[in-house]
Amino acid sequence: MKSVLNHCQIVILFLSLLNCFFSVGFLTAAEPLTPLKTISQATGTVSALRFSVDNQSLYLGTYGQLQVVSIESAETLQKLDKLSGYITSIADSPDGKLLAAGHYQKVTLFNTEDYSQLAQLKHHRGQVSGANFLSDQQLLTAADDGTVALWKLTDDVWSLAESLEYDEPITSLAVDPAIKWAAIGLGDETRVTRPGSVAIIDLESFQEKKSHVIHKSAVASLAATNDGKSVLSGSFDESIIVTSVIDGIQTGIFKQHARPVNCITTVLNQDVIFSGSGGRYKEKNELIGWTLSTGEVLIKSEPHAGKITAVAVSSDGKFLATGSQDETAIIWDLATFLK
């Protein structure tokens, strides 16, 4: 009789603990990442995405066209077309008054009040793979011809102030939040066995500070961490490596993608990273949300029929956007997910 009572007590205790476990799990589990809008009027692969400074619009780059899309309605507000090639980089000035679109051999500047064209910056001889405003009067760009250019606005005229050249294609560009350094991703995707590297540029002297051979294949995407101490590099070798800007030490590696990592973005004031992948195969077009400090996967899904080519987060942390080779973009409810 005594042993039976002990057994019952054990079962009751187990059920009580199990109930507590599921209660706590329900309260602390991550919310699902919910799609809010799907944008399907792209003219080809969605090759670049960026949220406006006021987080009211999404800039969407595709072949020969830059679209301004309302986040609330998903309707296209403006179509800026007759641009050469794919729009592969988008940047807006800190004050939100200027919009830069990097495409083949050119960077086109627009006034965001009426989206009139202000200037075309010509220096690169290839596809412009990165663009970042350093201030309202300075713009940094890079291209797959191996060139980096610093543009400055003087007396209402944009002109080339500094430039650097590399022997390999530049696939991506990232700038730290404090505007002290820039990173460029290097490598030739057509030579799959050739290593990929990341070079750090000191923006004060506009000279290369350090260069690190990191990946087995070309670097495909870059992002600076929120604290400006590290750079994340995604590669055709299907990995993401975290590298210290100070000493070049690799402090982490993320290997959850099964295809080339085409895009990476951080979330302001959060320990959360979103990365998108995909290649020549139809499967494994993955969007992964994960924590930088632990590498824990928060969400892993395949929301697009083609490889994910662009990812962006609004500065207020409310929205995530993904773009794909399937010619669509999706706006996601990030605020609820982050709860």
Side-chain angles (χ1 to χ4, degrees), residues 79-242:
K79 288 184 179 180
L80 311 175
D81 50 17
K82 297 182 180 179
L83 302 172
S84 55
Y86 273 99
I87 310 300
T88 41
S89 53
I90 304 172
D92 48 358
S93 59
D95 62 8
K97 295 181 179 180
L98 295 175
L99 179 63
H103 46 111
Y104 183 63
Q105 294 188 339
K106 299 174 185 177
V107 179
T108 304
L109 297 178
F110 298 93
N111 181 340
T112 57
E113 290 185 1
D114 57 7
Y115 293 102
S116 58
Q117 189 176 131
L118 297 176
Q120 281 197 329
L121 311 182
K122 300 178 183 180
H123 171 72
H124 303 294
R125 300 178 301 277
Q127 190 73 33
V128 178
S129 53
N132 285 85
F133 277 95
L134 307 183
S135 69
D136 296 330
Q137 294 82 35
Q138 290 186 316
L139 175 66
L140 185 68
T141 59
D144 63 6
D145 64 347
T147 58
V148 183
L150 176 63
W151 308 88
K152 290 186 178 181
L153 177 64
T154 306
D155 297 329
D156 294 328
V157 177
W158 285 90
S159 58
L160 181 66
E162 303 277 359
S163 64
L164 294 171
E165 291 195 12
Y166 286 82
D167 294 332
E168 291 185 293
I170 298 174
T171 62
S172 44
L173 172 69
V175 176
D176 89 306
I179 319 296
K180 294 181 180 178
W181 56 263
I184 55 171
L186 297 157
D188 188 346
E189 63 176 285
T190 64
R191 304 174 67 178
V192 294
T193 60
R194 186 166 181 170
S197 59
V198 174
I200 307 299
I201 298 172
D202 184 320
L203 292 176
E204 291 185 359
S205 63
F206 207 74
Q207 296 294 322
E208 182 183 296
K209 188 176 180 181
K210 291 179 181 178
S211 182
H212 313 287
V213 177
I214 297 176
H215 291 277
K216 295 178 182 178
S217 300
V219 173
S221 52
L222 288 177
T225 56
N226 287 323
D227 60 9
K229 294 181 179 180
S230 301
V231 59
L232 293 88
S233 54
S235 170
F236 286 89
D237 67 11
E238 302 172 1
S239 71
I240 299 173
I241 294 179
V242 187

Side-chain angles (χ1 to χ4, degrees), residues 264-279:
I264 309 172
T265 187
T266 58
V267 181
L268 187 63
N269 300 323
Q270 297 280 346
D271 187 34
V272 179
I273 308 297
F274 284 97
S275 46
S277 62

Side-chain angles (χ1 to χ4, degrees), residues 242-295:
V242 187
T243 304
S244 168
V245 175
I246 298 173
D247 52 24
I249 295 175
Q250 281 74 61
T251 59
I253 183 168
F254 185 75
K255 291 185 175 182
Q256 294 298 318
H257 283 284
R259 295 288 185 267
V261 183
N262 305 312
C263 46
I264 309 172
T265 187
T266 58
V267 181
L268 187 63
N269 300 323
Q270 297 280 346
D271 187 34
V272 179
I273 308 297
F274 284 97
S275 46
S277 62
R280 288 187 291 270
Y281 301 98
K282 293 183 178 180
E283 298 179 349
K284 303 298 182 182
N285 305 306
E286 298 168 332
L287 171 67
I288 301 181
W290 50 284
T291 56
L292 178 61
S293 58
T294 66

